[in-house]
Amino acid sequence: ATPRRAGAWPQRSSARRRRAMVVPLAVDGGFAEREPLPRVVLEEHAKWWWGVLTLLMALFAIQLVAMGLLNSLYTLLSAYIVWFMVRDSCREMSPYCVLLLGLMSFIQSIFDMAVLITMLGGRREQTTARTHFDPAAGEEILRVRITTHPFFDETRGILYNLQSVCRMASPVVFLCTA
């Protein structure tokens, strides 16, 4: 045996290191083989997953136009996960991916439903304007104006109404995804 330097870790053989890994890898270093998917998933359920992908992409497109890129990124991420699972005859579909997507979608639908419920009585717009400012006295008077518009309002334009459509469609699409 060779003497060890102070503070140096003992060397292990590579075969022993592979067995001690935390990640479930096969002996040759690749991922462990999964069981093949049941035929019903490949023949019946795959059609529904492609439909979910279509719904998510349609919602992404509407959100991109009506609400901007930042608001639509989560929908795009969810669509990517679905596409990743169903491409190549559902080769990458695993229970872990389905569980991850289901939990993400369910939580997102709860958040979207909460926002929708607060807006059903009408959408509020708040503007603040300074009416008086006295720097010597340190006094400032602000006027806050809150205007409530109907959830769908023809006078507000197509973008406003498209945002309302997004607010209604998002919880439904994410519940279907979950």
Side-chain angles (χ1 to χ4, degrees):
T2 58
R4 189 168 58 120
R5 291 184 319 202
W9 290 93
Q11 296 295 319
R12 293 182 178 163
S13 69
S14 68
R16 188 173 174 189
R17 271 187 271 151
R18 273 193 226 126
R19 283 192 302 249
M21 302 218 49
V22 177
V23 179
L25 296 176
V27 177
D28 65 351
F31 284 102
E33 291 293 320
R34 290 192 300 249
E35 293 182 23
L37 288 174
R39 290 186 68 77
V40 69
V41 171
L42 294 172
E43 295 172 359
E44 298 296 323
H45 296 172
K47 292 184 271 187
W48 293 104
W49 281 108
W50 284 107
V52 166
L53 179 61
T54 304
L55 283 175
L56 285 168
M57 290 307 293
L59 180 63
F60 168 72
I62 294 171
Q63 285 177 335
L64 188 62
V65 169
M67 303 172 93
L69 180 64
L70 194 59
N71 289 323
S72 59
L73 281 178
Y74 191 83
T75 305
L76 183 63
L77 173 68
S78 299
Y80 175 75
I81 293 172
V82 172
W83 173 81
F84 179 78
M85 288 191 307
V86 298
R87 69 185 174 118
D88 295 334
S89 299
C90 301
R91 188 186 75 196
E92 299 297 331
M93 188 177 286
S94 71
Y96 306 111
C97 280
V98 174
L99 178 65
L100 169 77
L101 180 69
L103 285 174
M104 285 174 46
S105 299
F106 182 71
I107 291 169
Q108 184 65 30
S109 69
I110 290 172
F111 289 149
D112 286 344
M113 188 63 76
V115 171
L116 177 64
I117 288 170
T118 63
M119 291 183 169
L120 282 179
R123 291 173 54 183
R124 293 172 31 158
E125 181 181 340
Q126 179 176 323
T127 55
T128 305
R130 182 187 301 177
T131 58
H132 174 73
F133 179 67
D134 184 6
E139 183 178 288
E140 181 177 4
I141 299 175
L142 301 173
R143 186 181 84 202
V144 178
R145 181 178 182 186
I146 300 173
T147 310
T148 303
H149 300 282
F151 193 67
F152 288 103
D153 188 0
E154 293 175 3
T155 62
R156 302 287 298 163
I158 191 162
L159 191 62
Y160 178 88
N161 291 315
L162 206 54
Q163 290 171 351
S164 296
V165 168
C166 286
R167 294 288 182 202
M168 290 184 72
S170 185
V172 173
V173 169
F174 279 107
L175 268 179
C176 290
T177 305

